[in-house]
Amino acid sequence: MYNATASNVRADTGTFGPPVDEVHYYYDQWPIGLAISRQGRIFACYTRGDYVAFTETYTLGEVSNETAEVPYPNLELNTPSGGLWTVVDGTASGSNSQDAFISVQALFITPDDTLWVLDTGRPTINATTAPNMPYAAPGGPKLCSINLTNNSVTRTYTFPPDVHFPDSYMNDLRFDMRPNITDSGQGIAYIVDSSDEGRNGFIILDLGTGQSWRHLNQHPSTLRTFEDVPSYQGIPFYQRTMGQPLRSLQEGADGAELSLDGSVLFYSPLTSDYLYSIETQYLRVDPNTDNLAARRANVNVKNIGQRGGNANGFAGDSNGAVYMLMPEHNAIYNFNTTTLQAEPFVRDPRYIS
């Protein structure tokens, strides 16, 4: 009779890579975005709506101790004067407030220690019966910059209706602050539109002029994979939403990261195993001023191949690595731009996204 021992039986420990430190514990709200300043200040954002427990909470906060956060910069800037949403002629619309945060999805801190806040303008409503999002109202979806020295908003960018559609959903963003890439010399923001209902693609924003335009609208590389069924913690995942039929995940373009020199944008849909890239020179041309700009962008997308599963949040480092959060594996992978392969970086059962 064969006697199996620990020495000859293979087992999955569920971990690899460097040890994971627990830094902060969230109790009241589940964060969707995080950013850490050069001074070590930790900021978190939370999408919000008319959830029973969270009706009066904030959407942008700063960690104050190991188990608590406070509204940032203050509660007033987290409180639109007319409420989070309204109904006009029977149609629900998000707040059009340009002066307060409605539902913040993503944060980013640039090398000058500026905090950038991406507000979708689309809170969740009817959360306890049939959750859905009201259409965005012009002025509500916005990008704000905050000076961390005096904790004040220094600039707010909004988007015209032909760039941010009523059913758009701004999900993530990256910045190229090189002074030589625009006439204004103040850099470019690349914003992911990952709408479940609308047209996936990218919003490009000139930070100097405030002008914005779109690229890769409905390009296959930005669209969700039909009937994608990932597995989380060993369980096949189907979308179960109150008041709606069973369905699969619907999200298209999600994670994005720039190469170290800003010349390439890596990205992928949430519901895809494939990684894509495009040279940013094609995205920086406004299609409104060049009638071939959209065509050039569309035909210059590169399919880099599969990377081992679905991925959502991306990040980079000073070595040019592209890190991808892999929720199916409770892991973070690194796309090695030299070997052109996805490589394991760290895995831990506590990584649940």
Side-chain angles (χ1 to χ4, degrees):
M1 182 174 182
Y2 182 70
N3 182 24
T5 68
S7 62
N8 56 33
V9 175
R10 297 185 64 183
D12 182 0
T13 65
T15 63
F16 59 66
V20 175
D21 295 326
E22 295 181 0
V23 176
H24 183 74
Y25 301 94
Y26 292 89
Y27 289 94
D28 294 328
Q29 300 190 80
W30 186 277
I32 189 71
L34 298 169
I36 303 175
S37 75
R38 290 188 307 205
Q39 287 72 35
R41 297 169 67 183
I42 302 175
F43 302 92
C45 61
Y46 325 82
T47 55
R48 69 175 173 185
D50 59 356
Y51 312 107
V52 173
F54 305 141
T55 302
E56 301 299 328
T57 55
Y58 46 91
T59 186
L60 173 60
E62 180 176 5
V63 167
S64 56
N65 60 47
E66 192 178 55
T67 59
E69 313 91 55
V70 294
Y72 182 81
N74 51 54
L75 186 58
E76 180 182 3
L77 281 172
N78 281 267
T79 311
S81 60
L84 297 179
W85 58 286
T86 187
V87 176
V88 177
D89 296 330
T91 300
S93 296
S95 168
N96 64 357
S97 174
Q98 299 183 29
D99 304 317
F101 301 128
I102 302 162
S103 185
V104 175
Q105 171 72 25
L107 305 174
F108 197 90
I109 294 180
T110 42
D112 62 354
D113 225 25
T114 295
L115 174 64
W116 295 85
V117 181
L118 188 64
D119 187 350
T120 68
R122 300 187 67 190
T124 297
I125 63 175
N126 301 324
T128 59
T129 53
N132 63 88
M133 288 183 183
Y135 289 124
K142 53 189 173 288
L143 176 63
C144 299
S145 60
I146 297 181
N147 183 324
L148 293 180
T149 301
N150 58 22
N151 302 312
S152 64
V153 176
T154 54
R155 186 158 183 183
T156 297
Y157 301 86
T158 58
F159 305 92
D162 62 342
V163 172
H164 188 288
F165 308 125
D167 55 5
S168 287
Y169 191 89
M170 298 188 296
N171 180 288
D172 208 350
L173 74 168
R174 290 297 182 268
F175 293 86
D176 187 347
M177 306 304 283
R178 291 177 293 167
N180 63 339
I181 59 169
T182 64
D183 292 338
S184 69
Q186 296 184 44
I188 287 280
Y190 302 94
I191 302 172
V192 181
D193 184 346
S194 65
S195 174
D196 285 356
E197 321 105 291
R199 288 152 280 190
N200 298 144
F202 286 89
I203 295 172
I204 318 301
L205 172 66
D206 185 321
L207 298 172
T209 65
Q211 291 180 304
S212 57
W213 54 92
R214 294 184 66 95
H215 268 303
L216 303 183
N217 285 319
Q218 299 293 76
H219 189 278
S221 66
T222 70
L223 300 179
R224 65 179 181 261
T225 299
F226 181 70
E227 290 290 327
D228 181 71
V229 182
S231 291
Y232 301 137
Q233 290 78 60
I235 301 173
F237 181 83
Y238 297 88
Q239 188 89 28
R240 292 177 171 88
T241 304
M242 290 182 295
Q244 297 182 21
L246 180 73
R247 63 177 188 171
S248 60
L249 285 173
Q250 302 292 301
E251 194 166 325
D254 188 280
E257 184 57 82
L258 288 169
S259 61
L260 193 57
D261 63 0
S263 65
V264 177
L265 181 70
F266 298 92
Y267 66 95
S268 72
L270 173 62
T271 55
S272 172
D273 291 351
Y274 286 88
L275 180 65
Y276 299 90
S277 71
I278 184 171
E279 293 181 41
T280 54
Q281 62 173 312
Y282 300 112
L283 301 179
R284 294 197 301 269
V285 180
D286 184 349
N288 297 304
T289 62
D290 183 338
N291 62 10
L292 286 178
R295 174 66 178 165
R296 280 194 292 268
N298 289 338
V299 301
N300 278 284
V301 170
K302 295 180 180 178
N303 183 335
I304 301 176
Q306 293 195 4
R307 35 80 196 293
N310 288 182
N312 47 17
F314 283 27
D317 67 11
S318 58
N319 296 315
V322 178
Y323 298 99
M324 302 170 288
L325 185 60
M326 309 294 290
E328 291 184 275
H329 307 297
N330 304 105
I332 296 174
Y333 288 0
N334 161 34
F335 178 73
N336 187 316
T337 54
T338 300
T339 67
L340 302 181
Q341 297 175 64
E343 301 171 348
F345 173 62
V346 63
R347 181 178 179 219
D348 191 288
R350 289 170 291 178
Y351 280 131
I352 299 175
S353 62

